[in-house]
Amino acid sequence: MLSEKTETTKLLDPATWAGRIFSGGEWASGSSEYDVMEPATGQAIGRLGAASGADVRKAAKSAAKAQRSWAAMPYEERAGIMRKAGDLWRQHADEVRGWIVRESGSIPPKADIEINFAASACYEAAALPSMAYGQVLRTPQAQLSMTRRLPVGVVGVISPFNFPLILSIRAVAPALALGNSVVLKPDPRTAVCGGVTLARVFQEAGLPAGVFSVLPGGADTGAALVEDPAISMISFTGSTRGGRLVAEMAGRSLKRTHLELGGNSALVILDDVDLEKAASIAAFGAFNHQGQICMATDRVLIAERVADEFVERLAAHASHLPVGNPATGQVALGPVIDAGQRDRIHRIVTTTVDKGARLVTGGTFEELFYKPTVLANVASTAPAFVEEIFGPVAPVTTFRTLDEAADLANSTEYGLSLGILTTDVMRGLALADRIDSGIVHINDQTVMDEVVNPFGGVKSSGPGARIGGAESNIDAFTNLQWVTIRGDLPQYPF
Ligand code: NAD
C-alpha cells in the first residue's frame, strides 16, 4: 500500500539539496558538484554535491561525537524516530518513485518494491531498540556474568546503483536503530534515490544532527570511509572486486567489514516440470530490472531432454518483453545504468557467441536499451557462464544427470542464490544440498528478498555476511561484550 498521503509538503524539493552533500545534519557544499543523469534519455535531471576525503573526515568526526548521546537516548524515542521514518516513505511514495524510475531506469513496480521495503525496514528497525540486548550466563564464581550487545560506533555504509534504496536502507535503518551513527556513501549514479531520500526522511523523522550523513562520491570517497579511524566498521554492498579492495584496505587497520557481493546464480530446471511456467520463471529471474540484480538468474541449467522446447519458449518470452523509457511508457525493461555497463554486457554476449553459443534472440541494443537476450548451448568455459553478467541475458546450458547439474551449478566462484524447478520437491532439496549457495528457492527463480530474511551469500558472494531479520542485523551492527560484576573485591593468592 503506497497511497497513504497525509502530507502535502515535498520531501525531495531540490531547493533543499541540489549541489550539496548531507553532513553533520546540514545540507552543505561538497568538494565539487556533478549532474544527476537519467539513463533513459541521457539528460541531466538534477545536481548533487560530491564528497572528498576531507568531507568524509568531517562527517565521520561529527558522527562519532553524536553517537554516544544517540545510543543513550531512551529506546522509545529511538523507536519513535524509526516508525516516523517508516511512515514518511509511504507518505512520499509518489515523489520517491519518480526519482527511482528516472535516476535508476527502474519500471514503477520495481520502484514500489524498493519503497515498500524501505518502509518495512524502518518499521522492523523500530523493534530493535526495545529488544533484550544480552544474556545472563551461568558462572561458578560469586559474580553476575552476562553478555551485552553494544553499538559498534560509526558505521560506514557503501551501496551500489541497482536497488539503490533497498541496499542503503537495509543497512542504515538497523545500524541507526541499534544506536550507531552512520555515514552513507551511495553510488554517485543513483545518489538521489540511494542517499538524498534517506537523508531527507531521517531529517524529517527527527534524527539528531550528526547521527546520519550522506556523502555521494566514487571509489575514492568509499576508500576514505574505509580508512577513516573514526569509522568503526564498513558495511559494503557491491561487486566482489570492490569488496576485495575494501577488505584489503580494512585489513590494514583490522577494521570490521560486512560484505554483500556479486553473484552468478543458477536456475536448475529438471525434466519433470511444466516448460511454459519454467520459461516464464527463468525470464523473470534473468530479465527483471534488466538483469542488474546480484541474485539474478545468471545461468539457466536445463535437462537436455527438454532443452530445445524450453529454449524456444524462453525466447518467445524474451522477444515479447517491451523495452523503453519507464518514465514515459509501460515497459517491462528500462535502460541499463550506463554505457560502460552496456558495453560489458555486449562484450560478454558476443564473446560467448564466438565461443560457440547460439544467439537465439536479442544480442542488440539502442543507446542504453539492451534487448532481452537468450543464448543456447553455452559452454561452462564461456564468458556468459563464468562471469557475472549484470544485464538482461539468459545463458542456457544443458545437463544429462543430476551429478552433472550439481557440478555445473557449483562451477563458479560465487554462491549467492539458487533456484531449482521440479515436481519432486525432495529430489530438488537433495540436489540443493550438493550446491554451495547462501540462498535456495525450490520451485522458484533466484531473485527474492524480504525484510526479515537473512540475506547473504557464500564463497565470493560474501564471506559469512548476513543482513535482514533481527538476529542477523544485531550480529551485523553490534559488538558483543562480556561483563562480570561482583558485590565486593575478591581475595587473590598473589
Ligand atoms: P561496485 O563494487 O563497483 O560499486 C559498489 C559501491 O562501492 C559504489 O558505491 C562504489 O562507488 C563503491 N566502490 C567501488 N570501488 C570501491 C573501492 N575500491 N573502495 C570503496 N568503495 C568502492 O559495484 P557495481 O558494479 O556498481 O554494482 C554491481 C555489483 O554489486 C554486482 O557485482 C552485484 O552483484 C553487486 N551487488 C551485490 C548485492 C548483494 O547484496 N550481494 C546487491 C546488489 C549488488
Side-chain angles (χ1 to χ4, degrees):
M1 274 286 297
L2 292 173
S3 54
E4 278 173 39
K5 282 190 217 98
T6 52
E7 290 194 3
T8 49
T9 49
K10 272 187 104 177
L11 181 76
L12 298 174
D13 185 350
T16 310
W17 54 266
R20 308 207 182 108
I21 61 174
F22 186 65
S23 176
E26 286 175 1
W27 290 98
S29 302
S31 63
S32 58
E33 288 185 21
Y34 70 98
D35 285 333
V36 179
M37 302 305 291
E38 180 178 40
T41 61
Q43 305 290 311
I45 51 171
R47 246 180 120 60
L48 269 175
S52 64
D55 295 321
V56 170
R57 284 189 288 283
K58 198 170 159 202
K61 212 168 148 190
S62 71
K65 203 168 150 212
Q67 188 263 327
R68 283 188 190 275
S69 46
W70 166 241
M73 193 183 267
Y75 69 83
E76 299 99 324
E77 287 178 38
R78 277 192 282 138
I81 289 171
M82 301 314 294
R83 278 194 295 271
K84 171 92 173 133
D87 293 345
L88 286 162
W89 290 115
R90 294 190 179 285
Q91 286 157 11
H92 295 281
D94 288 346
E95 268 185 279
V96 177
R97 181 189 308 110
W99 274 100
I100 296 177
V101 167
R102 295 194 67 192
E103 189 189 35
S104 74
S106 304
I107 59 172
K110 182 264 192 185
D112 285 347
I113 287 171
E114 293 218 60
I115 299 163
N116 265 323
F117 190 105
S120 298
C122 290
Y123 294 136
E124 288 296 324
L128 295 174
S130 59
M131 280 178 75
Y133 66 111
Q135 289 182 327
V136 180
L137 306 177
R138 299 207 182 267
T139 171
Q141 311 281 334
Q143 64 183 9
L144 179 63
S145 175
M146 60 187 185
T147 58
R148 297 195 294 181
R149 283 278 179 184
L150 301 178
V152 173
V154 182
V155 177
V157 175
I158 300 176
S159 60
F161 71 86
N162 59 322
F163 273 69
L165 177 50
I166 288 183
L167 298 171
S168 293
I169 197 76
R170 75 175 183 179
V172 169
L176 288 175
L178 289 163
N180 301 284
S181 52
V182 173
V183 177
L184 167 67
K185 191 213 80 65
D187 188 294
R189 293 167 289 185
T190 48
V192 177
C193 32
V196 170
T197 56
L198 287 91
R200 289 290 300 123
V201 158
F202 285 114
Q203 212 182 0
E204 292 296 309
L207 193 70
V211 175
F212 182 48
S213 290
V214 174
L215 307 180
D220 287 354
T221 313
L225 253 71
V226 182
E227 292 195 321
D228 195 295
I231 295 183
S232 321
M233 74 165 274
I234 295 291
S235 171
F236 176 92
T237 302
S239 63
T240 294
R241 184 182 164 277
R244 279 205 178 96
L245 291 168
V246 164
E248 275 171 29
M249 239 186 301
R252 278 184 235 135
S253 59
L254 297 177
K255 184 171 292 189
R256 181 169 162 182
T257 53
H258 180 108
L259 307 172
E260 302 277 353
L261 309 177
N264 187 2
S265 302
L267 176 67
V268 184
I269 305 174
L270 306 196
D271 64 1
D272 56 359
V273 294
D274 177 328
L275 292 179
E276 180 51 27
K277 276 194 182 154
S280 158
I281 288 167
F284 187 84
F287 305 139
N288 186 13
H289 195 45
Q290 298 79 264
Q292 299 170 122
I293 307 182
C294 53
M295 51 191 152
T297 298
D298 262 329
R299 296 174 298 150
V300 182
L301 309 180
I302 181 141
E304 192 181 67
R305 193 175 71 76
V306 292
D308 289 347
E309 184 185 339
F310 170 80
V311 167
E312 211 174 288
R313 288 176 186 271
L314 178 60
H317 281 269
S319 54
H320 284 103
L321 291 171
V323 184
N325 185 344
T328 56
Q330 212 182 6
V331 295
L333 279 78
V336 297
I337 193 71
D338 61 18
Q341 189 63 23
R342 177 202 62 203
D343 295 345
R344 190 173 171 278
I345 296 164
H346 199 55
R347 192 252 312 149
I348 291 175
V349 169
T350 51
T351 51
T352 297
V353 172
D354 291 346
K355 283 191 182 293
R358 180 165 66 91
L359 177 63
V360 188
T361 186
T364 59
F365 61 86
E366 277 172 42
E367 295 170 342
L368 298 184
F369 300 99
Y370 206 93
K371 283 263 166 60
T373 297
V374 176
L375 297 167
N377 308 330
V378 174
S380 61
T381 51
F385 190 98
V386 175
E387 295 181 45
E388 179 183 29
I389 305 171
F390 232 56
V393 180
V396 182
T397 303
T398 59
F399 60 84
R400 286 198 182 134
T401 63
L402 290 185
D403 284 346
E404 207 185 336
D407 287 348
L408 282 168
N410 273 328
S411 55
T412 170
E413 68 164 308
Y414 300 101
L416 189 53
S417 187
L418 168 70
I420 296 176
L421 308 186
T422 174
T423 50
D424 184 344
V425 170
M426 295 318 288
R427 192 160 69 131
L429 202 53
L431 179 60
D433 286 348
R434 300 164 62 186
I435 300 168
D436 295 325
S437 182
I439 299 166
V440 175
H441 301 298
I442 305 290
N443 284 333
D444 214 331
Q445 44 78 42
T446 54
V447 179
M448 211 182 294
D449 195 13
E450 289 166 11
V451 80
V452 293
N453 60 239
F455 188 92
V458 296
K459 295 160 75 178
S460 296
S461 294
R466 290 285 153 172
I467 197 163
E471 195 184 333
S472 303
N473 288 341
I474 290 169
D475 271 352
F477 299 115
T478 63
N479 283 329
L480 190 62
Q481 186 182 56
W482 178 42
V483 181
T484 66
I485 302 172
R486 285 179 178 268
D488 47 27
L489 302 186
Q491 183 67 54
Y492 280 99
F494 273 40

Coordinates of all heavy atoms in Angstrom, one line a residue, residues 158-163 167 170 185-189 217-224 226 236-243 245-246 249 260-263 293-295 341 388 390 414 416 455 457 461, ligand 1:
I158 N 28.5 1.6 2.3 CA 28.8 1.8 0.9 C 27.8 1.0 0.1 O 27.7 -0.2 0.3 CB 30.2 1.4 0.6 CG1 31.2 2.3 1.4 CG2 30.5 1.7 -0.9 CD1 32.7 1.9 1.3
S159 N 27.0 1.6 -0.8 CA 26.0 0.9 -1.5 C 26.1 1.1 -3.0 O 26.6 2.1 -3.5 CB 24.6 1.4 -1.0 OG 24.4 2.8 -1.2
P160 N 25.5 0.1 -3.8 CA 25.6 0.2 -5.3 C 24.3 0.8 -5.9 O 23.4 1.3 -5.2 CB 25.6 -1.3 -5.6 CG 24.8 -2.0 -4.6 CD 24.8 -1.1 -3.3
F161 N 24.3 0.8 -7.3 CA 23.3 1.5 -8.0 C 22.0 0.8 -8.3 O 21.0 1.4 -8.7 CB 23.9 1.9 -9.4 CG 24.1 0.8 -10.3 CD1 23.1 0.4 -11.2 CD2 25.3 0.1 -10.4 CE1 23.3 -0.7 -12.0 CE2 25.5 -0.9 -11.3 CZ 24.5 -1.3 -12.1
N162 N 22.0 -0.6 -8.2 CA 20.9 -1.3 -8.9 C 19.6 -1.3 -8.1 O 18.6 -1.1 -8.7 CB 21.4 -2.7 -9.2 CG 21.8 -3.5 -7.9 OD1 22.4 -3.0 -7.0 ND2 21.5 -4.8 -7.9
F163 N 19.7 -1.5 -6.8 CA 18.5 -1.3 -5.9 C 18.9 -0.3 -4.9 O 19.2 -0.6 -3.8 CB 18.0 -2.6 -5.3 CG 17.1 -3.4 -6.1 CD1 17.5 -4.0 -7.3 CD2 15.8 -3.6 -5.8 CE1 16.7 -4.8 -8.1 CE2 14.9 -4.3 -6.5 CZ 15.3 -4.9 -7.7
L167 N 19.3 -1.2 -0.9 CA 20.6 -1.6 -0.5 C 21.3 -0.6 0.4 O 22.3 -0.9 1.1 CB 21.5 -1.9 -1.7 CG 20.9 -3.1 -2.5 CD1 21.6 -3.3 -3.9 CD2 20.9 -4.4 -1.8
R170 N 18.6 -1.1 4.0 CA 18.7 -2.3 4.7 C 19.9 -2.4 5.7 O 19.8 -3.1 6.7 CB 18.8 -3.5 3.8 CG 20.1 -3.7 3.1 CD 20.2 -5.0 2.3 NE 21.5 -5.1 1.7 CZ 21.9 -6.1 1.0 NH1 21.0 -7.1 0.6 NH2 23.1 -6.2 0.5
K185 N 27.7 6.3 1.9 CA 28.2 6.7 0.6 C 27.5 5.9 -0.5 O 27.8 4.7 -0.8 CB 29.7 6.4 0.4 CG 30.3 7.1 -0.8 CD 31.4 6.4 -1.5 CE 31.0 5.2 -2.3 NZ 30.3 5.5 -3.5
P186 N 26.5 6.5 -1.1 CA 25.8 5.8 -2.2 C 26.6 5.9 -3.5 O 27.5 6.7 -3.6 CB 24.5 6.6 -2.3 CG 24.8 8.0 -1.9 CD 25.9 7.9 -0.9
D187 N 26.2 5.0 -4.4 CA 26.8 5.1 -5.7 C 26.5 6.5 -6.3 O 25.3 6.9 -6.3 CB 26.2 4.0 -6.6 CG 27.0 3.9 -8.0 OD1 26.9 4.8 -8.8 OD2 27.6 2.9 -8.2
P188 N 27.4 7.2 -6.9 CA 27.2 8.5 -7.4 C 26.1 8.5 -8.5 O 25.4 9.5 -8.7 CB 28.5 9.0 -7.9 CG 29.4 7.8 -8.1 CD 28.8 6.8 -7.1
R189 N 25.9 7.4 -9.2 CA 24.9 7.4 -10.3 C 23.5 7.4 -9.8 O 22.6 7.7 -10.6 CB 25.2 6.2 -11.3 CG 26.5 6.3 -12.0 CD 26.9 5.0 -12.6 NE 27.3 4.0 -11.6 CZ 27.7 2.7 -11.9 NH1 27.8 2.4 -13.2 NH2 28.1 1.9 -11.0
G217 N 29.7 10.1 -3.9 CA 31.1 10.1 -4.4 C 31.5 8.7 -5.0 O 30.7 7.8 -4.8
G218 N 32.6 8.6 -5.6 CA 33.0 7.4 -6.2 C 33.9 6.5 -5.3 O 33.8 6.6 -4.1
A219 N 34.7 5.7 -5.9 CA 35.5 4.7 -5.2 C 36.5 5.4 -4.2 O 36.7 4.9 -3.1 CB 36.3 3.8 -6.1
D220 N 37.0 6.6 -4.6 CA 37.9 7.3 -3.7 C 37.2 7.7 -2.4 O 37.8 7.7 -1.3 CB 38.4 8.6 -4.4 CG 39.4 8.3 -5.5 OD1 39.7 7.1 -5.6 OD2 39.8 9.2 -6.2
T221 N 36.0 8.2 -2.5 CA 35.2 8.6 -1.3 C 35.0 7.4 -0.5 O 35.1 7.4 0.8 CB 33.9 9.2 -1.7 OG1 34.1 10.2 -2.8 CG2 33.2 9.9 -0.6
G222 N 34.6 6.2 -1.1 CA 34.4 5.0 -0.4 C 35.7 4.6 0.3 O 35.7 4.2 1.5
A223 N 36.8 4.7 -0.3 CA 38.1 4.4 0.3 C 38.4 5.3 1.5 O 38.9 4.8 2.5 CB 39.2 4.5 -0.8
A224 N 38.0 6.5 1.4 CA 38.2 7.4 2.5 C 37.4 7.0 3.7 O 37.8 7.1 4.9 CB 37.9 8.9 2.1
V226 N 36.7 3.8 4.4 CA 37.3 2.6 4.9 C 38.5 3.0 5.7 O 38.9 2.4 6.8 CB 37.7 1.7 3.8 CG1 38.4 0.4 4.3 CG2 36.5 1.3 2.9
F236 N 29.5 -3.0 3.2 CA 29.7 -2.8 1.8 C 28.8 -3.7 1.0 O 28.8 -4.9 1.2 CB 31.2 -3.1 1.4 CG 31.5 -3.0 -0.1 CD1 31.9 -1.8 -0.6 CD2 31.3 -4.1 -0.9 CE1 32.2 -1.7 -2.0 CE2 31.6 -4.0 -2.3 CZ 32.0 -2.8 -2.8
T237 N 28.0 -3.2 0.1 CA 27.3 -4.0 -0.9 C 27.8 -3.5 -2.3 O 27.7 -2.4 -2.6 CB 25.8 -3.8 -0.8 OG1 25.4 -4.1 0.5 CG2 25.1 -4.7 -1.8
G238 N 28.3 -4.5 -3.1 CA 28.7 -4.1 -4.4 C 29.4 -5.3 -5.0 O 29.2 -6.5 -4.6
S239 N 30.3 -5.1 -5.9 CA 31.0 -6.2 -6.7 C 32.0 -6.9 -5.8 O 32.5 -6.3 -4.8 CB 31.7 -5.6 -7.9 OG 32.7 -4.7 -7.5
T240 N 32.3 -8.1 -6.2 CA 33.3 -8.9 -5.5 C 34.7 -8.2 -5.6 O 35.4 -8.1 -4.6 CB 33.3 -10.3 -6.1 OG1 32.1 -10.9 -5.7 CG2 34.5 -11.1 -5.5
R241 N 34.9 -7.6 -6.8 CA 36.2 -6.9 -6.9 C 36.3 -5.7 -5.9 O 37.3 -5.6 -5.2 CB 36.2 -6.3 -8.4 CG 37.5 -5.7 -8.7 CD 37.5 -5.1 -10.1 NE 38.6 -4.2 -10.3 CZ 38.6 -2.9 -9.9 NH1 37.5 -2.4 -9.4 NH2 39.6 -2.1 -10.0
G242 N 35.2 -4.9 -5.9 CA 35.2 -3.8 -4.9 C 35.3 -4.3 -3.5 O 36.0 -3.7 -2.7
G243 N 34.6 -5.3 -3.2 CA 34.6 -5.9 -1.8 C 36.0 -6.4 -1.4 O 36.4 -6.2 -0.3
L245 N 38.8 -5.1 -2.6 CA 39.7 -4.0 -2.3 C 39.3 -3.4 -0.9 O 40.2 -3.0 -0.2 CB 39.4 -2.9 -3.4 CG 40.0 -3.3 -4.8 CD1 39.5 -2.4 -5.9 CD2 41.5 -3.3 -4.8
V246 N 38.0 -3.3 -0.6 CA 37.6 -2.8 0.7 C 38.2 -3.6 1.8 O 38.7 -3.1 2.8 CB 36.1 -2.7 0.7 CG1 35.6 -2.5 2.2 CG2 35.6 -1.5 -0.1
M249 N 41.9 -3.1 2.2 CA 42.2 -1.8 2.9 C 41.9 -1.9 4.4 O 42.6 -1.4 5.2 CB 41.3 -0.8 2.2 CG 42.1 0.4 1.6 SD 40.9 1.6 1.0 CE 39.9 0.8 -0.1
E260 N 28.6 -7.8 1.2 CA 27.5 -8.4 0.4 C 27.9 -8.2 -1.0 O 27.8 -7.1 -1.5 CB 26.1 -7.8 0.7 CG 25.7 -7.8 2.2 CD 25.1 -9.1 2.6 OE1 24.8 -10.0 1.7 OE2 24.8 -9.3 3.8
L261 N 28.3 -9.3 -1.7 CA 29.0 -9.1 -3.0 C 28.3 -9.7 -4.2 O 27.1 -10.0 -4.2 CB 30.4 -9.7 -2.9 CG 31.2 -9.2 -1.6 CD1 32.5 -9.8 -1.5 CD2 31.3 -7.6 -1.7
G262 N 29.0 -9.9 -5.3 CA 28.4 -10.3 -6.6 C 27.9 -11.8 -6.6 O 28.0 -12.5 -5.6
G263 N 27.2 -12.1 -7.7 CA 26.6 -13.4 -7.8 C 26.7 -13.9 -9.2 O 27.0 -13.2 -10.2
I293 N 20.7 -7.4 -11.0 CA 20.4 -7.8 -9.7 C 21.5 -8.8 -9.3 O 21.8 -9.7 -10.0 CB 19.0 -8.4 -9.6 CG1 17.9 -7.5 -10.2 CG2 18.6 -8.8 -8.2 CD1 16.5 -8.0 -10.2
C294 N 22.0 -8.7 -8.0 CA 23.0 -9.6 -7.6 C 22.6 -11.0 -7.7 O 23.4 -11.9 -8.0 CB 23.5 -9.2 -6.2 SG 22.1 -9.2 -5.0
M295 N 21.3 -11.3 -7.4 CA 20.8 -12.7 -7.3 C 20.1 -13.0 -8.6 O 19.3 -14.0 -8.7 CB 20.0 -12.9 -6.1 CG 18.9 -11.9 -6.0 SD 18.0 -11.8 -4.4 CE 17.6 -10.1 -4.4
Q341 N 28.4 -0.2 -18.5 CA 27.7 -1.5 -18.2 C 27.2 -2.1 -19.5 O 27.3 -3.4 -19.7 CB 26.6 -1.1 -17.2 CG 25.9 -2.3 -16.6 CD 26.8 -3.1 -15.7 OE1 27.8 -2.7 -15.3 NE2 26.5 -4.4 -15.6
E388 N 29.8 -12.8 -13.9 CA 28.5 -12.2 -13.6 C 28.2 -11.2 -14.7 O 28.9 -10.3 -15.0 CB 28.6 -11.4 -12.2 CG 27.3 -10.8 -11.8 CD 27.4 -10.0 -10.5 OE1 28.5 -9.4 -10.2 OE2 26.4 -9.9 -9.8
F390 N 25.2 -9.1 -15.1 CA 24.5 -7.9 -14.7 C 23.8 -7.2 -15.9 O 23.9 -6.0 -16.0 CB 25.5 -7.0 -14.0 CG 25.0 -6.5 -12.6 CD1 24.6 -7.4 -11.7 CD2 24.8 -5.2 -12.3 CE1 24.1 -7.0 -10.4 CE2 24.3 -4.7 -11.1 CZ 24.0 -5.7 -10.2
Y414 N 31.1 -17.8 -7.3 CA 30.1 -17.2 -6.5 C 29.2 -18.2 -5.8 O 29.2 -19.4 -6.2 CB 29.2 -16.3 -7.3 CG 30.0 -15.2 -8.0 CD1 30.4 -15.3 -9.3 CD2 30.3 -14.1 -7.3 CE1 31.1 -14.3 -10.0 CE2 31.0 -13.0 -7.9 CZ 31.4 -13.1 -9.2 OH 32.1 -12.1 -9.8
L416 N 25.6 -17.1 -4.3 CA 24.6 -16.2 -3.7 C 23.2 -16.9 -3.6 O 22.7 -17.2 -2.6 CB 24.5 -14.9 -4.4 CG 23.7 -13.8 -3.8 CD1 24.0 -13.6 -2.3 CD2 23.8 -12.5 -4.5
F455 N 19.7 -12.3 4.5 CA 20.2 -12.3 3.1 C 21.7 -12.4 3.1 O 22.4 -11.8 3.9 CB 19.8 -11.0 2.4 CG 20.1 -10.9 1.0 CD1 19.2 -11.3 0.0 CD2 21.3 -10.5 0.5 CE1 19.5 -11.3 -1.3 CE2 21.6 -10.5 -0.8 CZ 20.7 -10.9 -1.7
G457 N 25.5 -14.4 0.9 CA 26.0 -15.5 0.1 C 27.2 -16.2 0.7 O 27.6 -15.8 1.8
S461 N 30.6 -14.5 -2.9 CA 29.4 -13.6 -2.8 C 29.3 -13.0 -1.4 O 28.5 -12.0 -1.3 CB 28.1 -14.4 -3.1 OG 28.1 -14.9 -4.4
Ligands
NAD1 P1 31.0 -1.6 -7.3 O1 31.7 -2.6 -6.4 O2 31.7 -1.1 -8.5 O3 30.4 -0.4 -6.5 C1 29.6 -0.5 -5.4 C2 29.8 0.6 -4.4 O4 31.2 0.6 -4.0 C3 29.7 2.0 -5.1 O5 29.2 2.9 -4.2 C4 31.1 2.3 -5.5 O6 31.3 3.7 -5.6 C5 31.9 1.8 -4.3 N1 33.2 1.3 -4.5 C6 33.7 0.8 -5.7 N2 35.0 0.5 -5.5 C7 35.4 0.9 -4.3 C8 36.6 0.9 -3.5 N3 37.7 0.4 -4.0 N4 36.6 1.4 -2.3 C9 35.4 1.8 -1.7 N5 34.3 1.9 -2.4 C10 34.2 1.4 -3.6 O7 29.7 -2.4 -7.8 P2 28.8 -2.1 -9.1 O8 29.4 -2.9 -10.2 O9 28.5 -0.7 -9.3 O10 27.4 -2.9 -8.6 C11 27.1 -4.1 -9.0 C12 27.7 -5.2 -8.2 O11 27.1 -5.2 -6.9 C13 27.4 -6.5 -8.8 O12 28.5 -7.3 -8.7 C14 26.3 -7.1 -7.9 O13 26.2 -8.5 -7.8 C15 26.7 -6.5 -6.5 N6 25.6 -6.4 -5.6 C16 25.5 -7.3 -4.6 C17 24.4 -7.3 -3.7 C18 24.4 -8.2 -2.6 O14 23.5 -8.0 -1.7 N7 25.1 -9.3 -2.5 C19 23.4 -6.4 -4.0 C20 23.4 -5.6 -5.1 C21 24.6 -5.6 -5.9

